[in-house]
Amino acid sequence: AATISSDGSLVGVVGTDLVSLNNGSATATFDNKNVGTTHVVTASGYTLSGAQATDYTLTQPATAASVHISAKSLTITADAEGYAYGDTLGTLTYSSTGLATGDSFSGALGVTNGIGGTSTAGATLSHQSNFDVSGSPFAIVRNGLTVSDGNGGSNYSIAYVGANLTLATKALTDTTFTPRAASNSPNRVPTMHS
């Protein structure tokens, strides 16, 4: 809805007839919600009051002069993530402020790997995918995350606040070793072989 800053005045009242504009139920709407400077705003709900009001009909006003819709501020903030080497990257999460009702996000955040490429959910965080613990932390980037607003995302001025993915070492356990039998000599140290 548009904000009505001035109701204007009636034009065409005859002589001293008592007719006035009643704005008690007046509203105004844009022709569409998209950013632009040539919008038509149409009013409705205006009525006439006064002793001679029934002698007149009222045409609801519309205007296209200097009516514009500016881009709405939208902030997307990535959540920090922690994984172990060799893990599979899950869906990267985020929060947002400023998204209008009826609009939505599509696509996903990504993580910049060790050679500058971007990986998304499903990637294995390993050397083969250019992720090594020595390169941690890795930047979480906006990547292909876009806004579906019916106007190619142009209805928003988007600020992205990044975060990092921290990659920890993978814990290994050797569970296959068996001890070698040794004599009971006090000078002999048992050895273990895997």
Side-chain angles (χ1 to χ4, degrees):
T3 301
I4 300 172
S5 59
S6 173
D7 293 314
S9 58
L10 294 174
V11 175
V13 175
V14 177
T16 58
D17 282 359
L18 298 176
V19 183
S20 60
L21 190 62
N22 184 345
N23 64 3
S25 299
T27 60
T29 55
F30 285 100
D31 52 350
N32 66 61
K33 69 175 185 174
N34 295 331
V35 167
T37 59
T38 58
H39 286 285
V40 174
V41 176
T42 303
S44 61
Y46 281 106
T47 58
L48 297 174
S49 59
Q52 282 76 49
T54 56
D55 293 329
Y56 295 89
T57 57
L58 176 65
T59 301
Q60 300 292 323
T63 182
S66 302
V67 177
H68 66 277
I69 297 176
S70 300
K72 180 175 174 54
S73 295
L74 173 64
T75 301
I76 300 168
T77 304
D79 297 327
E81 302 281 352
Y83 283 85
Y85 181 82
D87 285 350
T88 299
L89 182 61
T91 300
L92 299 168
T93 59
Y94 56 90
S95 60
S96 69
T97 56
L99 188 68
T101 302
D103 293 343
S104 60
F105 291 105
S106 59
L109 299 178
V111 178
T112 302
N113 61 33
I115 61 169
T118 303
S119 298
T120 56
T124 301
L125 300 173
S126 66
H127 179 76
Q128 291 75 17
S129 299
N130 301 301
F131 288 98
D132 289 296
V133 174
S134 61
S136 178
F138 299 93
I140 298 173
V141 295
R142 186 173 157 199
N143 191 39
L145 183 67
T146 60
V147 178
S148 299
D149 63 357
N151 194 29
S154 296
N155 290 333
Y156 292 93
S157 174
I158 300 174
Y160 174 73
V161 180
N164 289 326
L165 181 148
T166 302
L167 193 62
T169 56
K170 180 178 180 64
L172 297 179
T173 304
D174 184 357
T175 59
T176 61
F177 70 87
T178 54
R180 177 185 292 171
S183 69
N184 200 14
S185 168
N187 297 322
R188 178 138 185 172
V189 178
T191 57
M192 308 282 258
H193 293 275
S194 58

